[in-house]
Amino acid sequence: MDNLIVTGGAGFIGSNFVHYVAEHHPEVKHITVLDKLTYAGNKENLADLPTDKVSLVVGDICDALLVNKLVATADAVVHYAAESHNDNSLLDPSPFIQTNIVGTYTLIEACRKYHVRFHHVSTDEVYGDLPLREDLPGKGEGKGEKFTPESRYNPSSPYSSSKASSDLLVRAWSRSFGLKATISNCSNNYGPYQHIEKFIPRQITNILSGIRPKLYGSGKNVRDWIHTDDHSRAVWKILTEGKIGETYLIGADGEKNNKEVLELILNLMGQPSDAYDRVRDRPGHDLRYAIDATKIREELGWQPQFTDFKTGLKHTIDWYTTHESWWKPEKSKVEHKYAKNGQ
Ligand code: NAD
Ligand code: DAU
């Protein structure tokens, strides 16, 4: 592969993917990152990569002229760029509609024109939420008690509905125009370079800053955590071995409720397990996500390597502890915005 475009490659998961490909796949001669560098993008995330191998184009995926110019000479596009935070989408949905829907449309039109392979990175949130395990007859292991590629689309927030819309566009372009596309829907990622507005890094950097962590509502909401390196390896598998037109769900059997995760962070950072505040809940807060990853495991032979959440979390805490200059300049702005919202 001579030239791989990674949109959103200066954000959390995109930059981890760029590191993964640069390190493990020398057959990719060049990676072009297309990123607008919104508040969530940071060129520092790519700073240690060789410039002859990885180049950053600062631009908008909604800019058709730019997108066409870049896609014309690409072998494949892996599309991570998005507005990604649910809480922001509840305060102002407009950039979510623009980037997540119009931006995806702009990219798939260019890939259609130049016959370029397209992989769309999406989220498990397009399926809405599930009941808690304790309220299910099969305790979460029965048929239909986790998300599968056949689950019904039922998004809850402006963010997840914009991602669902983008998935549907990709499906339609694949079927009607023969776009060489695949889609993946992954669960909650954790690891280095995640913006400090998100749950895990927010709590770690709160503790490092002497601020009490903040838990929304009851803390019973369950997320299915996966290390971002496992996500990267799964996306690579789908890009290179996945069947065109198919959707793959990515998850690592990492279900935990928010209270458990917060108590583990407090414990690993030497704090009492009740040293946090309960704050205003997120409106429309999804209760539980859980992925059935049988298809990618059986068809593509992918499996997660980070199977011990506590160890992965410890590495993540170490990363934020040793990279204070990466997050510190943003901290007060992020907390000020949350405080204004009662969170
Ligand atoms: P992020 O917010 O950390 O990064 C998004 C990146 O996209 C940033 O670098 C930003 O500058 C860039 N961007 C935003 N708008 C753009 C535009 N108009 N043009 C070009 N670049 C633009 O997000 P993330 O958490 O890394 O998520 C990446 C992708 O993975 C998203 O599509 C998200 O829906 C999906 N996803 C995320 C998770 C998760 O747990 N974070 C799980 C599953 C799927
Ligand atoms: O499931 C995949 C999705 O995971 C991705 O599509 C999104 O891009 C990503 O942001 C993430 O969405 P969530 O809304 O699940 O992640 P967030 O980190 O915002 O919150 C995780 C959980 O923690 C959620 O139940 C809300 C709760 N929370 C969050 C924050 C920021 C708190 O209790 N306190 C907080 O301070």
Side-chain angles (χ1 to χ4, degrees):
M1 203 182 288
D2 287 336
N3 185 18
L4 174 67
I5 294 180
V6 179
T7 73
F12 163 44
I13 310 182
S15 65
N16 276 288
F17 179 74
V18 173
H19 276 96
Y20 165 77
V21 176
E23 201 173 311
H24 297 281
H25 294 286
E27 66 273 29
V28 177
K29 304 237 168 26
H30 194 81
I31 304 167
T32 306
V33 170
L34 171 59
D35 199 296
K36 192 178 169 183
L37 296 185
T38 66
Y39 78 95
N42 187 344
K43 8 182 217 225
E44 286 305 307
N45 298 2
L46 304 168
D48 57 343
L49 289 163
T51 46
D52 57 335
K53 173 111 188 172
V54 179
S55 56
L56 169 65
V57 176
V58 180
D60 193 328
I61 56 165
C62 302
D63 177 348
L65 267 181
L66 174 65
V67 165
N68 273 287
K69 189 172 138 229
L70 295 175
V71 170
T73 58
D75 298 301
V77 174
V78 179
H79 175 35
Y80 287 93
E83 286 292 334
S84 68
H85 193 37
N86 276 296
D87 292 321
N88 292 344
S89 80
L90 294 161
L91 295 173
D92 177 12
S94 63
F96 290 76
I97 304 304
Q98 190 61 21
T99 288
N100 299 0
I101 304 177
V102 179
T104 301
Y105 160 73
T106 308
L107 288 164
I108 55 179
E109 274 293 81
C111 288
R112 168 161 90 104
K113 184 167 171 191
Y114 294 106
H115 308 287
V116 170
R117 172 85 171 85
F118 183 78
H119 179 70
H120 181 59
V121 178
S122 192
T123 169
D124 57 359
E125 297 195 13
V126 298
Y127 302 115
D129 61 358
L130 298 160
L132 294 178
R133 275 175 176 267
E134 58 260 36
D135 297 331
L136 286 163
K139 299 287 171 232
E141 299 301 337
K143 202 169 162 8
E145 294 182 2
K146 290 185 177 185
F147 299 135
T148 70
E150 287 72 43
S151 295
R152 183 169 71 95
Y153 272 51
N154 188 27
S156 314
S157 74
Y159 162 68
S160 52
S161 59
S162 67
K163 290 296 292 187
S165 308
S166 65
D167 291 14
L168 298 183
L169 292 177
V170 176
R171 286 183 181 201
W173 262 239
S174 170
R175 176 162 171 167
S176 296
F177 299 131
L179 180 75
K180 290 180 284 177
T182 41
I183 299 177
S184 55
N185 298 83
C186 187
S187 59
N188 284 62
N189 284 220
Y190 71 100
Y193 301 112
Q194 186 168 31
H195 195 276
I196 55 167
E197 68 190 351
K198 302 284 167 42
F199 179 56
I200 288 179
R202 183 182 183 206
Q203 313 315 334
I204 295 170
T205 56
N206 274 352
I207 295 168
L208 292 172
S209 308
I211 301 169
R212 280 168 72 86
K214 306 286 185 259
L215 186 69
Y216 293 176
S218 68
K220 279 189 171 179
N221 306 66
V222 171
R223 296 296 182 263
D224 190 353
W225 294 98
I226 179 172
H227 194 280
T228 190
D229 286 351
D230 284 329
H231 187 186
S232 293
R233 287 187 307 100
V235 168
W236 179 259
K237 271 262 178 204
I238 299 167
L239 179 69
T240 54
E241 297 173 39
K243 203 166 146 215
I244 298 300
E246 291 291 309
T247 290
Y248 296 88
L249 267 53
I250 306 169
D253 297 322
E255 281 182 71
K256 300 241 170 317
N257 75 38
N258 295 338
K259 185 166 171 287
E260 279 176 88
V261 173
L262 181 51
E263 286 172 355
L264 189 53
I265 294 171
L266 285 159
N267 173 275
L268 288 168
M269 295 183 75
Q271 304 290 313
S273 59
D274 60 351
Y276 62 87
D277 297 331
R278 285 181 193 271
V279 294
R280 181 174 164 258
D281 206 356
R282 176 184 284 172
H285 196 172
D286 280 340
L287 197 50
R288 170 174 166 254
Y289 304 142
I291 293 275
D292 177 345
T294 305
K295 180 172 170 178
I296 188 170
R297 283 178 182 262
E298 291 187 354
E299 284 184 19
L300 304 183
W302 170 86
Q303 52 183 19
Q305 287 178 354
F306 285 80
T307 46
D308 180 21
F309 180 67
K310 190 172 173 181
T311 305
L313 191 58
K314 169 120 187 35
H315 288 157
T316 307
I317 293 170
D318 290 345
W319 191 86
Y320 283 91
T321 307
T322 53
H323 288 76
E324 194 178 280
S325 62
W326 184 87
W327 56 266
K328 193 84 175 176
E330 293 295 306
K331 186 65 187 170
S332 59
K333 197 164 65 190
V334 170
E335 287 310 310
H336 182 69
K337 187 169 169 188
Y338 274 124
K340 264 192 6 200
N341 209 30
Q343 294 176 318

